[in-house]
Amino acid sequence: MIKEVYDDIINLTLSIKSSIKKERNLLINNNLSINIAVDNIQKIITKFKQYLEEYSCLKNNPIIDILNKYNDDLLHIINEDNKDNVLIVLDNITGSLLDKVQENIIVNNDILSLTLIVKNEAFYIKEWIEFHRMIGVTHFYIYDNESSDDLYKKLSSYISQGIVTYTYWPTKGVYSTRLEAQLAAYNDSLYKYKYDTKYMGFIDVDEFIVPVNRKNIIEVIDDIFYRYENCGGIGINWRVYGSSYNEKKIDGLVVENYKYRAYDNYDLNKHIKTICNPRVTIAFNIEPHSAIYREPFYCVSENGKRIESCFFKNSTCNKIRINHYYIKSREDCIEKCRRKNGKHINEEYIQEFFTRIDKDCNKVYDPIMEKYIDELKKRCDLI
């Protein structure tokens, strides 16, 4: 849980303690009967429990069981009709409540987390994770869409270190399409973890968020959110990369092997992906590029311009961008199309698709990722 939300809960806990003490004092002074005092306190505790469950997404946290036990203790003692015994229970509640909350609600330091749904991309997942860790991402919510390439094994060390939260997320028998499964995964992450991270990004494994002039992405994101008061999310434009003239799948880093991209005004570069404040974000509804926000918040560009859809044509990408390694080599592109479409894919269509994209996406040599390569190779055990 992020510190801002944790602090709110602590302040609410102190207020709850104060309310219970007031009821206790009324009982001591005979201004309330035992039944009314206990009933009032049970309502206070129940309301607090509902807040933690529904607002703070703590349904499975041990503090909920503790609050239930407090109410059970009050229910049992009320039948004794003994004020002294009731006061003992109340003193136990007020004496232990804050400690119990502090013990069971842990503050973490996640400023930026990324949510990803992935299928059979184990070959590329380590580079993607390690690059984003280098630029300041601290946690990853990874939804496995029926991978058969040992993805879980590849992620196991990250899972055990608490860097990755892994969820198996099938399409078959649950969702009608992969898009429906993707939107559902995004919304699941948004709901479950919105109080665990300050910012949450939603991208794919072939997309790399790049701080253009800074080393750490958090500095860029903080600056945009603080500069524009109603910023609920940042729409980050693509810079789409081609094959760099590679026909075959090659070993090594994606960011080193593919250095040629399209011109800035290339049509696909109008697409955005989103980093949002998850606490003001309602859902991903129609497509995975942009979200719906509660009033008065909305999505902005790096320059504070309002973005109304999944496209933004006026982005300069001077502060932040997404390198989208859309096709990679011809062999990679063919594998990707088959993964998405299964046996029904038209082989002639794949070749046409690759050629059409590639002819526009090898126009600009772009060395922006070179500064990361040596460190990234070490992290990926390539040196």
Side-chain angles (χ1 to χ4, degrees), residues 22-45:
K22 284 178 184 176
E23 297 293 325
R24 177 188 180 279
N25 290 337
L26 290 171
L27 178 60
I28 288 175
N29 295 325
N30 296 316
N31 292 323
L32 283 180
S33 68
I34 291 176
N35 283 352
I36 293 176
V38 169
D39 184 59
N40 289 345
I41 293 166
Q42 285 181 313
K43 286 176 182 175
I44 291 168
I45 292 171

Side-chain angles (χ1 to χ4, degrees), residues 300-339:
V300 305
S301 73
E302 63 175 30
N303 296 316
K305 302 296 184 185
R306 186 165 183 157
I307 300 176
E308 301 284 1
S309 71
C310 59
F311 302 106
F312 185 66
K313 65 180 180 181
N314 297 319
S315 174
T316 54
C317 289
N318 288 330
K319 299 176 184 176
I320 187 171
R321 77 190 210 191
I322 289 178
N323 284 8
H324 189 190
Y325 299 95
Y326 191 32
I327 52 174
K328 302 187 184 80
S329 70
R330 184 183 297 271
E331 184 179 1
D332 278 292
C333 182
I334 291 169
E335 285 183 8
K336 178 179 179 179
C337 290
R338 285 175 178 162
R339 275 198 307 274

Side-chain angles (χ1 to χ4, degrees), residues 165-206:
T165 298
Y166 170 92
T167 304
Y168 185 69
W169 198 260
T171 299
K172 292 173 189 170
V174 183
Y175 301 102
S176 302
T177 63
R178 291 184 74 248
L179 174 60
E180 189 180 321
Q182 182 177 18
L183 294 175
Y186 282 11
N187 291 330
D188 183 78
S189 182
L190 194 60
Y191 173 73
K192 284 182 179 174
Y193 309 116
K194 61 184 172 181
Y195 299 111
D196 290 338
T197 183
K198 186 175 182 181
Y199 306 120
M200 186 179 284
F202 299 82
I203 63 173
D204 294 328
V205 76
D206 58 0

